[in-house]
Amino acid sequence: MAEDTARRLQARPIPVPKAAPPASTQTTLLVIALVVATLYLGSDILVPIALAVLLTFVLAPIVSRLERLRLGRVPSVLAVVVLVFAGIAGFGMVVGGQIADLANNLPSYQKNVHDKLDSLRSRATSAGSGGVVQQATEAFRDLKQGLEQVTGDTPPAATAPTSALPAPGAGAAREPVPVRIEQDGSDALTIISDVLGPAMAPVATAGMVLVFTIFMLLQREDLRDRLIRLAGSGDLSRTTEAMNDAGERVSRYLLMQCVVNVTYGLPIGIGLWLLGVPNPLLWGMLATVLRFIPFLGPAIAAAFPILLSFAVDTGWTLPLLCIALFVAVELFSNNVVEPWLYGSATGLSSLAIIVAAVFWTTLWGPVGLLLATPLTVCLVVLGRHVPQLHFLEVMLGDRPVLPDEAKLYQRLLARDPIEAMEIAEEKMSKGGLVEAGHGLLIPTLSLAEQDRQRNRLNPEGRQAVAEGMVALLDEMMEASPPAAEDTPLVLCIGARNDLDEAAAALLGHMLRPRGLRADVIPCEKVSVRSIAALAPTGVSAVVLSYLNPSALSHARRLVRRLRLHFGPNVPILLCLWSAHPEADAPEHAISQTTADRVATSLTGAVTQLEELGVLAAVEAEKAPQA
């Protein structure tokens, strides 16, 4: 139940936060530039800290469990750290032994490589002058010779003999000859710095990571309190929620990443062992570890065993089987294992993962590629809880940035019926026309009405939305036989404009399958000058459609006009589509407009017509037939 709730919350669109204090664009760009410059220039110290934070997220739950066993804080931390680094050292020893064994066997594969290269060369030239490779080679050779003839390039002249050199004092100045003093013995410090310097950098980084990890595990509560103080102790609720969200997401991502990598490397190792590729344990372990690196890791893990199979096998069967093995396992892992395990663990979009990988790799190199996803997850969490950083969640998060009604409204404004129909059909497939009307169509028309009231929607745009909605309803509804002439007639009137008329048309589409005759009337036909053209008899009920729930004065005048025309026996239903159903709008509207009933939803409108007895005759006719 909790996972279903989390998924539903994750699928909701990103809410629009309250307006943050305005900040100039120049200030924002300056802050971003300073942050990026700090990340780049301070990489030597920030990279170990980031790796230590990552390890702390992974190891903190284990340390907490050991503390619950009353082992103590310091012994628990030391035990976990020693076990982790012992595991890393053991992994390195196994990989080193496998690499040494592979290096000893490589000379025996040299003949197979030469034979395959010779076969490729012979196949390329076997076609004679018609071979593709040979024709391309001759074409490039002819092009090169032609360019040399056009440009007049000639081979460089031979060095002039010593006798041709000008004598000293003959007018030509002699260039000074650099003098280099060579010492017989080599400087030991220079050799150590040249040889051991590059090798000591990773060791130094690992040592810093170890130290930072130990201290972060020992003082994690103190660090948490300090972060809360920096973030602002005045808003403890939001800060705590943000920290818990970030911690849960990063920890779950790392745990699921470990599970996914193991389920990826284990089949690779077993498959290579069954195929007969040497050192399958090495390739399975490397596939597990390298897959922590996004995008490049799986490609690198697959390249080595495929090249080795090319050298081992005398034919082409083994390389092709290796390629098929990696492709099959990769597809299964990407399309089955990862969606099943990850779910909404990260909250990042696919494009955000790619952009984050490029960004952090540019700043911090290969380590940045490893840290790209966890660091970007933290940024998205900040954007979710800090209004000033809301743009980070919009740009990098995986939640939809627009609700369905806003997307449909935008597509209707753009006069794109195809995509608008796709959005409506997707909503309708989940709950039918009633659900689509409640959750999509009426809210879409309400958005248009709100923009009209704020003078943000011109008449052309309003007409496009109304006509597009009517056309959408015609496409969504299946053709039904016309109702008989003796069935009740309901007039659905768009009270003020064509948007109200579109909402009335939606209600009419819902009433027709129930056996009613529903005629949609525009507002112009019920004006003071045109209402006399309507037949005053044969009408069972009148429904007024309003998308603006505050237009009660207009509704009061229209209800009075309709009663004078149709008489007091014709019930009038007032539909205030944008009114909140739990508010006091219905009772207030009845007292203000003297309407018989008020509804705020489509199902409420149908229920009110049933209570008014409009549907009673139709239901009575259907009962004996059933």
Side-chain angles (χ1 to χ4, degrees):
M1 180 67 68
E3 293 183 357
D4 295 339
T5 304
R7 290 177 182 174
R8 288 196 298 269
L9 291 176
Q10 185 69 19
R12 290 182 180 177
I14 298 176
V16 179
K18 296 181 180 179
S24 63
T25 306
Q26 293 81 0
T27 303
T28 304
L29 293 177
L30 180 60
V31 171
I32 293 175
L34 288 176
V35 171
V36 174
T38 303
L39 292 173
Y40 180 75
L41 297 176
S43 59
D44 292 339
I45 187 65
L46 293 178
V47 168
I49 293 177
L51 289 172
V53 171
L54 197 64
L55 283 176
T56 303
F57 273 117
V58 177
L59 302 180
I62 304 176
V63 173
S64 299
R65 291 187 179 182
L66 291 179
E67 289 180 5
R68 295 191 191 102
L69 299 177
R70 299 182 180 180
L71 189 59
R73 171 64 59 87
V74 176
S76 300
V77 171
L78 293 179
V80 170
V81 171
V82 169
L83 288 176
V84 169
F85 281 91
I88 295 175
F91 177 84
M93 292 177 62
V94 173
V95 171
Q98 292 286 314
I99 292 176
D101 181 69
L102 177 64
N104 294 330
N105 296 328
L106 282 179
S108 61
Y109 309 140
Q110 186 175 3
K111 184 178 181 302
N112 292 337
V113 176
H114 285 297
D115 293 342
K116 289 187 177 182
L117 292 178
D118 292 338
S119 65
L120 289 175
R121 191 181 300 109
S122 62
R123 290 179 182 178
T125 58
S126 61
S129 59
V132 178
V133 177
Q134 184 176 358
Q135 290 181 3
T137 303
E138 293 178 355
F140 281 112
R141 186 184 298 113
D142 295 340
L143 180 61
K144 180 180 179 182
Q145 293 177 357
L147 291 176
E148 290 178 352
Q149 293 175 0
V150 172
T151 57
D153 292 340
T154 56
T159 305
T162 307
S163 59
L165 294 175
R174 297 183 61 184
E175 296 182 358
V177 179
V179 179
R180 185 176 60 185
I181 300 176
E182 296 183 356
Q183 299 179 357
D184 294 336
S186 299
D187 191 0
L189 294 178
T190 304
I191 294 177
I192 293 176
S193 62
D194 293 341
V195 175
L196 299 182
M200 291 299 294
V203 177
T205 302
M208 295 175 64
V209 172
L210 175 61
V211 173
F212 284 135
T213 302
I214 292 175
F215 278 95
M216 288 181 181
L217 289 174
L218 289 174
Q219 300 181 355
R220 57 184 185 273
E221 289 86 0
D222 181 67
L223 291 175
R224 178 200 61 199
D225 296 341
R226 294 180 185 275
L227 287 176
I228 291 175
R229 181 65 182 87
L230 289 175
S233 57
D235 195 354
L236 291 177
S237 176
R238 177 177 295 178
T239 305
T240 303
E241 184 179 359
M243 294 182 65
N244 292 338
D245 193 3
E248 292 176 1
R249 286 181 179 274
V250 173
S251 299
R252 178 176 172 80
Y253 165 74
L254 294 175
L255 177 61
M256 293 301 102
Q257 184 71 35
C258 292
V259 176
V260 169
N261 290 2
V262 170
T263 58
Y264 175 80
L266 188 62
I268 290 295
I270 296 175
L272 294 177
W273 175 69
L274 294 175
L275 293 177
V277 178
N279 305 100
L281 178 60
L282 171 64
W283 310 126
M285 297 176 70
L286 286 181
T288 302
V289 174
L290 290 175
R291 213 171 187 279
F292 278 101
I293 303 175
F295 308 111
L296 295 180
I300 297 174
F304 291 107
I306 291 175
L307 292 176
L308 183 59
S309 66
F310 175 82
V312 171
D313 192 18
T314 56
W316 296 95
T317 304
L318 186 58
L320 294 178
L321 290 177
C322 286
I323 294 174
L325 172 65
F326 276 96
V327 171
V329 176
E330 184 70 25
L331 290 176
F332 179 78
S333 180
N334 289 338
N335 298 293
V336 178
V337 179
E338 288 186 1
W340 175 49
L341 292 177
Y342 281 157
S344 58
T346 60
L348 300 180
S349 64
S350 301
L351 180 61
I353 294 176
I354 298 175
V355 173
V358 174
F359 175 77
W360 291 108
T361 304
T362 305
L363 287 181
W364 290 351
V367 179
L369 183 61
L370 179 64
L371 297 172
T373 301
L375 291 176
T376 310
V377 167
C378 296
L379 292 178
V380 171
V381 172
L382 285 177
R384 178 171 299 180
H385 297 281
V386 180
Q388 292 81 356
L389 301 178
H390 179 65
F391 69 95
L392 291 175
E393 187 190 12
V394 175
M395 295 174 59
L396 304 176
D398 62 344
R399 292 199 296 173
V401 296
L402 289 177
D404 291 337
E405 58 268 22
K407 290 191 290 185
L408 180 59
Y409 177 36
Q410 193 272 333
R411 287 295 86 197
L412 292 177
L413 282 175
R415 293 174 174 83
D416 184 1
I418 297 178
E419 188 172 350
M421 190 64 193
E422 292 176 356
I423 298 172
E425 286 180 343
E426 182 180 0
K427 190 71 172 181
M428 189 173 178
S429 63
K430 299 177 180 179
L433 180 62
V434 176
E435 179 64 26
H438 280 303
L440 180 63
L441 303 181
I442 291 296
T444 299
L445 294 173
S446 298
L447 289 177
E449 175 63 21
Q450 293 169 14
D451 283 349
R452 186 196 66 80
Q453 295 176 26
R454 293 191 293 261
N455 295 324
R456 295 180 181 177
L457 184 65
N458 54 31
E460 292 79 10
R462 189 186 68 196
Q463 182 180 3
V465 173
E467 293 179 352
M469 182 63 70
V470 173
L472 192 64
L473 291 172
D474 293 338
E475 289 291 332
M476 291 173 62
M477 295 299 298
E478 297 180 358
S480 57
E485 293 294 333
D486 56 348
T487 56
L489 172 62
V490 177
L491 293 183
C492 300
I493 301 175
R496 302 193 68 174
N497 51 51
D498 44 4
L499 297 176
D500 293 337
E501 182 181 351
L506 174 59
L507 178 60
H509 279 289
M510 292 188 60
L511 295 178
R512 291 189 187 104
R514 297 175 176 268
L516 288 174
R517 286 187 299 152
D519 291 347
V520 180
I521 305 299
C523 59
E524 292 82 4
K525 290 190 177 182
V526 292
S527 62
V528 176
R529 297 182 178 180
S530 303
I531 193 172
L534 294 177
T537 59
V539 177
S540 300
V542 176
V543 179
L544 296 180
S545 174
Y546 280 92
L547 288 169
N548 181 9
S550 60
L552 296 181
S553 59
H554 183 275
R556 181 172 59 254
R557 295 192 300 270
L558 186 54
V559 168
R560 186 183 302 113
R561 188 184 312 152
L562 292 172
R563 289 200 185 281
L564 292 175
H565 182 76
F566 291 105
N569 295 327
V570 176
I572 298 178
L573 173 63
L574 178 62
C575 293
L576 304 175
W577 302 117
S578 299
H580 196 279
E582 297 180 0
D584 58 350
E587 292 76 8
H588 179 69
I590 291 175
S591 61
Q592 291 291 321
T593 62
T594 66
D596 295 285
R597 297 294 176 90
V598 175
T600 58
S601 63
L602 294 173
T603 54
V606 175
T607 302
Q608 295 296 339
L609 290 176
E610 290 177 351
E611 294 180 358
L612 289 172
V614 178
L615 296 176
V618 178
E619 297 296 333
E621 293 178 0
K622 291 183 179 180
Q625 298 176 1

